[in-house]
Amino acid sequence: MSSGEKSWTGSIHLGAKVDIDVVFEQLVKAFNASPFFKHNTMTMRVVDGKIEAYIDMQDYLIGNVAFQILHGGVAATVLDSIGGIVAMGELYKKAEPDTIADTIKKVSRLATVDMRVDYLAPGRGKYFIARAETLRLGRKGCTMRMTMVNDEGKSIATAIASYAY
């Protein structure tokens, strides 16, 4: 493999059907290797065949010191990240052996175009989990809906984002 090639796509081979479980694990591994995620203790994981984001509450993530709640920017970052990684996974799920090269290009170019976050409740909790669902998956972009809950299952924030590829 040349230094310019991306190794995070796991065992994806041109002309072959992808093993989505392997792809999900490789996507999660790549995201978890991000220095930014490591610094903020954010992790992606596969649970029941779906990718979710997880973050423990830490003192340095507090945005409102008077009320000791999670910074809204942390919530937005986690929501954007889970939307992007789930969109990547959905592209691979849809890929056929003859379209895998195009899918790899789309995944490598995926970028957030627009995102709206609604903060539903104060960010209190021991940890937070975010999940995403696809609203639309098109040829050049997709729309995702993301939700973050705390350790008690209470919805903290929700977002809708558009991604281009």
Side-chain angles (χ1 to χ4, degrees), residues 32-142:
N32 290 341
S34 160
F36 181 74
F37 278 13
K38 286 181 182 180
H39 175 75
N40 290 299
T41 66
M42 297 179 202
T43 56
M44 296 290 178
R45 59 191 188 184
V46 180
V47 177
D48 297 329
K50 295 181 181 180
I51 300 173
E52 68 179 27
Y54 177 91
I55 187 166
D56 280 313
M57 181 58 146
Q58 304 286 335
D59 288 343
Y60 58 84
L61 299 176
I62 292 171
N64 184 323
V65 292
F67 294 101
Q68 300 290 298
I69 59 174
L70 185 70
H71 190 285
V74 174
T77 298
V78 172
L79 291 167
D80 183 30
S81 299
I82 192 63
I85 193 173
V86 170
M88 291 174 182
E90 290 299 313
L91 285 167
Y92 279 121
K93 272 194 211 174
K94 187 175 138 180
E96 295 296 329
D98 60 335
T99 64
I100 196 66
D102 187 46
T103 299
I104 291 170
K105 284 181 190 175
K106 285 179 178 179
V107 167
S108 68
R109 292 189 308 239
L110 190 135
T112 309
V113 174
D114 184 57
M115 184 171 83
R116 174 197 162 92
V117 179
D118 290 310
Y119 299 98
L120 307 173
R124 292 190 184 97
K126 295 175 186 162
Y127 60 84
F128 303 92
I129 295 172
R131 296 180 182 95
E133 64 178 313
T134 306
L135 297 178
R136 180 185 172 278
L137 192 66
R139 283 187 318 110
K140 295 183 180 185
C142 63

